[in-house]
Amino acid sequence: MFGYVKIGAAVPQLKLADCISNKEEILKLIREANEKGIRVLTFPELALTGYTCGDLFFQLPLIQAAEKALKEIAAETAELDMVIAIGVPVMADNQTFNCVALLHQGRILGLVPKTFIPNYSEFYEERWFASAGDLISEEISYAGQMVPIGADLLFAADGIPFLKIGVEICEDLWVPIPPSSYQSLYGATLLLNASASNELAGKPQYRHQLVAQQSSRCLAAYVYAAAGIGESTQDAVFSGHSLICENGTLLCETESFSRESQLVAADIDLEVLANERRHHTTFMGQLSQPEAQRFYREIHFPMTESPLGKLDRHISPAPFTPDDAHLDARCQNIFQIQVTGLARRMEHAHANTLVIGISGGLDSTLALLVAAKACDYLGMSRDHVLGVTMPGFGTTDRTYNNALELMRSLGIQMKEISIKNAALQHFADIEHDPEIHDVTYENTQARERTQILMDLANKTNGLVVGTGDLSELALGWATYNGDHMSMYGVNAGVPKTLVRVLVNWVAHSKAVDETASRILLDVLDTPISPELLPPDKDGKINQKTEDLVGPYELHDFFLFHILRFGFRPAKVLYLAEIAFDGSYDRETLLKWLKNFYRRFFVQQFKRSCLPDGPKVGALCLSPRSDWRMPSDAFNRVWMEEVEKL
């Protein structure tokens, strides 16, 4: 359901050359996997015999015992709607092949031989096994069935969209162009690797990188199941380190050197993978090269979609923000992108000043920090930044004082221009009653502020630095030709949840002094507001943005999953219920999801004429970058599905 398929990697307790014991342990793990709802399960290389049997692979009793054990496993699992990949030695065409057998409901779907046979250092497999390239037959009699054999096999599930399986074995992944690279071009979204990778100092980290990179390059899910400690330790030690990655992200892994059998599982998202492949138009470009021309035989099997259950993957409620382990490096990188973009634009335009409206709110605070750092980056004094605070009818003492103190602490030029008289004059000119606090009342103030900034930029040979963020742009929460407009929008690629993280990061860094840090923390604690309506009777903010448009943490979540992956409303709501369990109920999530779709479509015209600004992440709404859509498109398809939820 929703494109999720639960897959697993199993590392059985191994008894070397004891196919009967190994079969029983494999069946035990299969039954456990079935209870967990796993649909595709991968065992290690030569799991039925063990990888380190050496010259015992020349012995017919071992080869035949493995075949008999596989036949019995097929019979025992005939009622299971699960694909099971098991490593097994196979005799064919006067040779022995190191194969993976794929089973489904008692049928052996195919045998995939290893292509690249290592014969260096501690490996000398060529002594026993031939390469898939030496195979003559396309089908052999095996375990009582006629079975396709070859490295040209792909396995497609008829009942689950986008589920197509490719298989490679251990060393196949470690070569410059693994077989899985071509398998993915021909549609494989799930890549299985039955491995017997031995352990060496530093190898687990390299293995992480290797599997993650291959899953990323192939835009696929990758299961790497490795042989455990039951293998011989005569010349090498095996840890059973197995892992599952999806498009470069590690979903789960086993504990290394465990004395017990292990089973790990994760739900992969086939819709994400399919969407990524459609989105990356260069993905299929390799097929134009002669060496990429392949012929694959597709083996089809029936498999039904699983009902929704507990999802074995983490759904972050803050998909735009880095996790704690990468926080410092990611924030440093994003901040430097903003700084470099603005500095380059200032340099190219031969601008003398960076003009910014400072409100004491989050967005203008981040833009000011970026502008100050851009001057440092260019080796210029910070008085090339002109910060302008423009108090209006809704400005509170808290934001006003924070704006002034922050500008003072950063050492920039400061200017204060009240917009009250100008706004009142404009109300008189257009015959608007200033006691009517409607959209005219609000937008007059926003446009007056932008006019002041633009004119000051002209006067000082400067650039107006835009402060609006990605979330506001998505929701259209900006005054058209008001704060919507600037000469370079440094926050245009930064969603609101990430703005908060970046400001907090700067507050706790050595980039600012104690005074600035204190102010930044108070800005973070201030309710988000455009401050266009008068304060309440206590002089506090009376207009809170999130009360009107909804919580930004929800809108950023919706924005990420709708635009980044193209998910339909039902799936977005399903993921939101998981991510925000205990924080928002379904009714509240649905309310703001409807609001997001409505505002996103209706406000599209504001995004069609955005000023330049740096892209900092995987998503940007600039019409010159990630997102292009007609301003007058209808949202009926999406809203009809939302109404059914």
Side-chain angles (χ1 to χ4, degrees), residues 72 201 225 230 316 329 400 505 511 531 535 558 564 580 596 626:
E72 291 170 353
S316 172
Y400 172 75
W505 172 75
E531 291 195 315
F558 300 151
R564 180 71 177 84
F580 295 100
F596 178 89
D626 284 356

Side-chain angles (χ1 to χ4, degrees), residues 52-255:
T52 52
C53 287
D55 283 356
L56 292 178
F57 286 122
F58 290 134
Q59 298 292 310
L60 274 178
L62 181 64
I63 305 297
Q64 290 172 343
E67 181 175 356
K68 181 174 182 291
L70 190 75
K71 181 178 181 179
E72 291 170 353
I73 292 172
E76 288 278 346
T77 59
E79 301 300 319
L80 300 183
D81 192 12
M82 180 195 302
V83 172
I84 307 162
I86 304 174
V88 61
V90 174
M91 293 188 303
D93 301 333
N94 307 309
Q95 303 162 94
T96 304
F97 295 91
N98 179 348
C99 291
V100 166
L102 267 73
L103 312 179
H104 179 254
Q105 294 183 330
R107 173 188 168 198
I108 304 176
L109 299 177
L111 295 164
V112 180
K114 191 172 185 175
T115 298
F116 296 96
I117 311 299
N119 220 57
Y120 58 86
S121 299
E122 63 268 35
F123 304 107
Y124 35 92
E125 284 184 42
E126 285 184 3
R127 180 177 176 89
W128 313 295
F129 298 114
S131 165
D134 298 324
L135 191 66
I136 299 172
S137 302
E138 293 187 347
E139 188 177 54
I140 64 172
S141 175
Y142 187 78
Q145 302 182 35
M146 290 302 297
V147 182
I149 186 171
D152 58 346
L153 300 180
L154 295 177
F155 305 88
D158 288 334
I160 301 181
F162 311 125
L163 179 56
K164 187 180 289 187
I165 302 170
V167 179
E168 57 190 7
I169 303 174
C170 199
E171 185 75 11
D172 291 345
L173 174 61
W174 301 69
V175 300
I177 306 178
S180 55
S181 296
Y182 297 114
Q183 292 167 1
S184 64
L185 293 177
Y186 285 85
T189 51
L190 174 56
L191 305 170
L192 312 182
N193 189 315
S195 175
S197 176
N198 63 309
E199 213 53 80
L200 296 171
K203 198 171 183 181
Q205 292 76 22
Y206 184 75
R207 193 182 293 116
H208 270 137
Q209 295 172 359
L210 190 66
V211 176
Q213 278 288 325
Q214 188 63 4
S215 72
S216 180
R217 289 180 183 277
C218 294
L219 295 176
Y222 201 105
V223 185
Y224 189 92
I229 65 169
E231 297 286 354
S232 171
T233 58
Q234 182 174 334
D235 292 305
V237 173
F238 298 80
S239 72
H241 181 210
S242 304
L243 52 157
I244 299 175
C245 289
E246 179 189 281
N247 193 16
T249 299
L250 176 67
L251 299 183
C252 64
E253 62 184 321
T254 59
E255 176 190 344

Side-chain angles (χ1 to χ4, degrees), residues 506-526:
V506 174
H508 289 92
S509 72
K510 296 179 180 178
V512 294
D513 59 24
E514 288 185 15
T515 300
S517 178
R518 174 183 55 78
I519 300 165
L520 293 178
L521 293 175
D522 194 61
V523 169
L524 286 164
D525 196 44
T526 304

Side-chain angles (χ1 to χ4, degrees), residues 409-581:
S409 71
L410 292 176
I412 68 165
Q413 282 193 74
M414 297 169 55
K415 198 171 190 66
E416 180 178 338
I417 303 175
S418 173
I419 64 167
K420 292 179 182 178
N421 290 336
L424 288 171
Q425 179 62 54
H426 186 66
F427 291 151
D429 291 341
I430 66 172
E431 299 178 346
H432 179 78
D433 184 351
E435 295 303 316
I436 299 176
H437 299 163
D438 58 4
V439 68
T440 304
Y441 179 88
E442 295 188 35
N443 285 351
T444 291
Q445 298 173 72
R447 292 195 179 102
E448 179 61 28
R449 284 175 171 141
T450 299
Q451 176 177 281
I452 290 171
L453 296 174
M454 289 289 180
D455 292 345
L456 281 173
N458 293 157
K459 183 180 179 180
T460 61
N461 185 32
L463 294 176
V464 175
V465 178
T467 62
D469 63 57
L470 178 64
S471 309
E472 292 180 340
L473 295 174
L475 295 167
W477 189 252
T479 298
Y480 192 71
N481 211 31
D483 53 307
H484 151 264
M485 192 51 60
S486 68
M487 296 170 182
Y488 198 74
V490 293
N491 294 338
V494 187
K496 186 74 77 177
T497 49
L498 185 53
V499 170
R500 181 174 292 280
V501 169
L502 287 168
V503 171
N504 187 63
W505 172 75
V506 174
H508 289 92
S509 72
K510 296 179 180 178
V512 294
D513 59 24
E514 288 185 15
T515 300
S517 178
R518 174 183 55 78
I519 300 165
L520 293 178
L521 293 175
D522 194 61
V523 169
L524 286 164
D525 196 44
T526 304
I528 299 169
S529 172
E531 291 195 315
L532 297 173
L533 296 180
D536 63 19
K537 58 183 177 59
D538 297 319
K540 295 182 179 179
I541 291 173
N542 193 32
Q543 184 186 26
K544 298 180 180 178
T545 300
E546 292 182 294
D547 290 345
L548 302 170
V549 297
Y552 274 114
E553 62 179 346
L554 293 185
H555 287 308
D556 283 359
F557 184 89
F558 300 151
L559 176 66
F560 181 85
H561 290 284
I562 293 169
L563 268 64
R564 180 71 177 84
F565 298 127
F567 290 161
R568 59 189 187 273
K571 185 168 182 177
V572 176
L573 179 61
Y574 168 70
L575 294 175
E577 287 185 279
I578 296 173
F580 295 100
D581 182 34

